[in-house]
Amino acid sequence: MSKGYPQNYRLPAEFEPQEAIWLSWPSNKESCPKTFHKLQDKFGEIASTISRYERVRINAPMLSHMNIRLSIADNEGDLSQVDLYEHVTNDVWCRDHGPIFIKHNESGQVAITDWNFNAWGGKFPYDLDNTIPEKAASVLKMDRYTSDFTVEGGAIETNGKGLLMTTEAVLLNPNRNGGKARTKAEMEKELKAMLGVTNIVWFKEGIEGDDTDGHIDDIVRFVREDAVICMVESKETDPNFKVLKQIREQLDDVRTADGSKLEIIEIEMPNAIEAKDWRLSRLPASYANFMILNNAVMVPIFGQKKKDAIAEDKIAECFPGREIISVTCKDLVMEGGALHCIAMHQPK
């Protein structure tokens, strides 16, 4: 573990070249009793797809390694691109409990930042999940910088050039810090010191039905240094209408490091997906929860032909030269997230 703050590092954007994608395989039936087997099948499909573009590194108990290999092989994945680690987790949301990687400005060396993770304010067990960044640093032999602030990967979005977006409802929530909220100034200071960002844009809150209290990765995502996809809602009666409208208006005032405005690509939210007899009455489905790979983008779809197709087309336009792969995410979103939520990218 490295002492103090990282010097001369930055938080790279997801659209920059990647070394690997990290996943935490569904291995704890208690965390998803109704969807456990469906989720494993879905992970087999997703891991196989990733393996055709880059390495996929998987946290999973030793007992399930053989089945994971079989599942990836069944889905015609490339097993030579798969690294399995005996890292046991409580849940599958590697974007949030996984290592947040930073990159040295001169040498290009990659290191790990290890934040506190408490399952979005103690909503679920998290003792194992919170050990993953340390274990990743150990197997990768990387420097690791720790912070006692609670930050999840899905709560921050960057353009790789010093600009970071987040939501107050998550990072300033007292549930992230044992009942006592961090101030905005404290949080900004820590984010800047740990991640090398220079400018932080705060939105108030996130979308309805989100266990995380409102992660940014369901709302606004960078597709280039100076361009974002922003989710919008046209139905005025929808609970997301006001929240997304406010965020969309706020984006007009955001500037990149060189003072230029952002290009804003609007995508309409999927129709509300309701769940009966479930802890979430409304599921946090969003097309913004896509996963960027080297030469490909995996796009979540929700069985809504017209809206799915428009979202696929718009995302494809944002990533010329990358293949667009659509993944049905209804089972995933039942558990509270989609493609981006389960994957943490490791930069080259």
Side-chain angles (χ1 to χ4, degrees), residues 39-174:
L39 268 193
Q40 288 185 313
D41 293 345
K42 186 51 74 177
F43 266 67
E45 176 198 329
I46 291 167
S48 308
T49 302
I50 297 167
S51 74
R52 294 197 272 276
Y53 294 91
E54 62 193 82
R55 295 204 80 71
V56 55
R57 300 196 152 135
I58 298 171
N59 302 309
M62 189 55 89
L63 277 172
S64 54
H65 286 196
M66 194 52 155
N67 284 337
I68 292 171
R69 284 200 178 89
L70 288 170
S71 174
I72 292 172
D74 284 348
N75 282 282
E76 292 170 23
D78 179 354
L79 282 173
S80 72
Q81 288 286 86
V82 179
D83 301 319
L84 289 168
Y85 299 107
E86 191 180 2
H87 298 164
V88 187
T89 61
N90 304 94
D91 216 332
V92 299
W93 310 113
C94 197
R95 172 66 47 182
D96 292 348
H97 63 236
I100 296 177
F101 294 94
I102 50 175
K103 193 167 176 171
H104 195 272
N105 287 322
E106 280 149 23
S107 68
Q109 187 184 344
V110 177
I112 281 173
T113 63
D114 180 356
W115 304 76
N116 182 47
F117 174 75
N118 75 349
W120 317 283
K123 296 186 178 78
F124 308 97
Y126 56 85
D127 56 323
L128 300 166
D129 289 348
N130 199 26
T131 65
I132 293 299
E134 184 175 358
K135 288 176 173 164
S138 171
V139 295
L140 296 172
K141 299 182 172 49
M142 275 185 186
D143 287 341
R144 176 175 68 103
Y145 297 90
T146 60
S147 171
D148 56 4
F149 281 60
T150 303
V151 171
E152 303 106 26
I156 55 174
E157 178 67 20
T158 186
N159 70 346
K161 292 281 197 288
L163 183 55
L164 181 125
M165 296 181 177
T166 187
T167 55
E168 294 177 17
V170 175
L171 289 197
L172 305 184
N173 196 318

Side-chain angles (χ1 to χ4, degrees), residues 89 207 217 229 290 313:
T89 61
I207 61 170
D217 65 357
I229 279 174
F290 53 83
D313 288 348

Side-chain angles (χ1 to χ4, degrees), residues 284-303:
S286 166
Y287 297 116
N289 211 269
F290 53 83
M291 186 199 307
I292 304 174
L293 305 173
N294 293 333
N295 302 323
V297 181
M298 295 174 79
V299 176
I301 55 171
F302 304 101

Side-chain angles (χ1 to χ4, degrees), residues 229 231 265-271 287 299-318 324-328:
I229 279 174
M231 298 308 296
I265 297 104
E266 296 181 6
I267 296 182
E268 181 77 30
M269 285 286 279
N271 300 326
Y287 297 116
V299 176
I301 55 171
F302 304 101
Q304 303 177 15
K305 253 191 172 143
K306 204 173 152 191
K307 283 195 164 177
D308 288 352
I310 292 170
E312 288 162 344
D313 288 348
K314 286 201 166 182
I315 293 170
E317 280 171 31
C318 294
I324 299 296
I325 302 150
S326 301
V327 181
T328 304

